[in-house]
């Protein structure tokens, strides 16, 4: 599902160039669940952004869900992001004035709307166990429920791959456990999951843990 070969990414820092990723190789099978760990600043978010088509300034071969990302146009990258990957962040980024359902369907907020949009949002909320709370505002939900809404939003377009950047980073231990349970359900449903994390529970639940160190994965 994911194939990365010789991925390098550097940033310009004044006159110098800082090489963050220096030849990352990674292969993730369809339906696999991989955790990425590494110290702060080791490039985990940078790697996730490349995998999610949010960053095109890299060198190397990156293929995700049968899409080769190197050299894609901005339009093609936008389509890739809309169809192939869902993103979950540490912060939930929910719109306070919108219901859970409208937050989930936000990717199509300016689209045609209609029954299909609502049905798909409800399906996504059911997948994270929130089928009965579609009408709630974020302020009427617990922290764990808010993160579940954010996960449902990432699933709205039914992507095959879920990319998560420290998805339990803002949650207490018990709530983190609740979110790990959601990922376990999604994994059982066949989703491919790549999750950057510091959290022991999330690492333990993944099938494989890889470490980013000195710009490479091991
Ligand atoms: N847009 C950017 N411009 C310049 N440097 C960046 C940018 N994004 C990240 N970096 C640098 O790249 C390194 C890795 O960052 P990041 O991928 O966020 O690490 P992690 O997620 O593992 O903490 C850090 O030194 C960070 O300062
Ligand atoms: Mg990070």
């Amino acid at each position: 599902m994911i194939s990365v070969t010789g991925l390098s990414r550097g940033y310009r820092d004044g006159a110098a160039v800082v090489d963050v990723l220096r030849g990352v190789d990674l292969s993730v099978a369809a339906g696999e669940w991989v955790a990425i760990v590494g110290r702060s600043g080791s490039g985990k978010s940078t790697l996730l952004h490349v995998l999610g088509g949010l960053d095109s300034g890299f060198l190397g071969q990156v293929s995700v869900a049968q899409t080769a990302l190197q050299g894609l146009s901005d339009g093609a990258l936008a389509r890739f992001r809309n169809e192939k990957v869902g993103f979950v962040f540490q912060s939930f980024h929910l719109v306070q004035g919108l219901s859970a359902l409208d937050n989930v369907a936000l990717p199509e907020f300016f689209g045609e709307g209609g029954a299909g949009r609502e049905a798909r949002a409800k399906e996504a909320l059911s997948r994270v166990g929130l089928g009965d709370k579609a009408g709630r505002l974020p302020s009427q939900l617990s922290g764990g429920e808010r993160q579940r809404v954010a996960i449902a939003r990432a699933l709205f377009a039914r992507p095959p791959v879920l990319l998560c950047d420290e998805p339990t980073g803002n949650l207490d231990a018990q709530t983190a456990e609740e979110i790990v349970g959601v990922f376990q359900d999604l994994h059982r449903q066949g989703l491919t999951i790549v999750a950057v994390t510091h959290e022991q529970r999330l690492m333990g639940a993944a099938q494989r843990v890889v470490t980013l160190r000195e710009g490479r994965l091991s």
Side-chain angles (χ1 to χ4, degrees), residues 7 21 32 38 64 67 90 106 111 122 144 163 187 190 193 212:
L7 166 62
L21 305 177
E32 197 179 8
V64 178
T67 310
Q90 182 170 351
L106 204 56
K122 280 201 173 130
L163 302 172
H187 177 240
I193 302 174
L212 195 51

Side-chain angles (χ1 to χ4, degrees), residues 144 147-148 151 167-168 171 175-184:
Q147 185 59 308
R148 285 199 264 161
I151 295 169
T168 58
L171 303 172
T175 311
E177 186 127 19
E178 168 190 329
I179 295 301
V180 171
V182 171
F183 287 129
Q184 283 169 326

Side-chain angles (χ1 to χ4, degrees), residues 21-22 55 80 119 123 128 130 167 184 204 210:
L21 305 177
R22 319 174 188 204
D55 177 359
F80 164 81
E123 175 203 296
V128 300
L130 283 183
Q184 283 169 326
V210 294

Side-chain angles (χ1 to χ4, degrees), residues 98-152:
L98 293 182
S99 68
L101 184 121
D102 282 333
N103 266 285
V104 170
L106 204 56
E108 267 183 31
F109 199 68
F110 301 103
E112 287 173 27
R117 171 181 177 272
E118 190 168 319
R120 243 171 343 114
K122 280 201 173 130
E123 175 203 296
L125 282 167
S126 299
R127 287 178 77 184
V128 300
L130 283 183
D132 56 340
K133 294 188 175 164
R136 297 271 189 102
L137 294 171
S139 60
Q140 299 166 327
L141 296 169
S142 71
E145 287 170 341
R146 286 179 206 167
Q147 185 59 308
R148 285 199 264 161
V149 173
I151 295 169

